[in-house]
Amino acid sequence: QVQLVESGGGLVQPGGSLRLSCAASRSSFRVSAMAWYRQAPGKERELVADITRGGNTNYADSVKGRFTISRDNAKKTVDLEMNSLKPEDTAVYYCRSDTWGIVDWGQGTQVTVSS
């Protein structure tokens, strides 16, 4: 059973914006810690941003001031608003949930920043 489904990736020019969305199916979403990770070709998967069940957020230094993570517990979604995109933001972006130690990953969505 698929627990997380990402959407919103695509091709964007440098300086542009994209909004990623992750839809969760677990009924326990509101108690899940959520995060966005990314993996560029030849690199390890890295944390981009996370948001606790209480709404506290944390960002990688490379995206601070450009990306915003948010969650809607009623809709069971977590979004990643990405602004001022750079070529180095190109990667597959993954949604991750942690529900009392049960970790789920989405299938990933490609983001390509190129002119």
Side-chain angles (χ1 to χ4, degrees):
Q1 182 180 1
V2 178
Q3 304 292 352
L4 300 171
V5 178
E6 302 102 333
S7 61
L11 173 64
V12 63
Q13 293 187 343
S17 298
L18 278 177
R19 187 179 185 92
L20 306 183
S21 187
C22 173
S25 58
R26 286 192 184 275
S27 59
S28 54
F29 176 83
R30 64 177 58 251
V31 299
S32 300
M34 303 298 298
W36 284 96
Y37 282 72
R38 67 185 180 188
Q39 187 167 20
K43 295 188 176 181
E44 294 187 353
R45 191 172 297 189
E46 63 175 359
L47 175 68
V48 176
D50 59 39
I51 184 166
T52 68
R53 52 186 67 88
N56 294 319
T57 59
N58 175 60
Y59 297 92
D61 287 343
S62 59
V63 306
K64 280 181 181 177
R66 300 188 298 122
F67 290 12
T68 303
I69 188 171
S70 60
R71 65 188 295 160
D72 186 327
N73 289 338
K75 296 181 179 178
K76 296 194 293 184
T77 58
V78 59
D79 291 351
L80 185 69
E81 180 73 29
M82 306 185 294
N83 299 312
S84 302
L85 282 161
K86 305 175 181 180
E88 51 264 43
D89 294 318
T90 296
V92 178
Y93 283 70
Y94 296 91
C95 180
R96 177 187 187 272
S97 69
D98 183 347
T99 309
W100 303 121
I102 300 172
V103 175
D104 294 312
W105 290 91
Q107 82 287 352
T109 185
Q110 177 70 47
V111 171
T112 302
V113 185
S114 175
S115 55

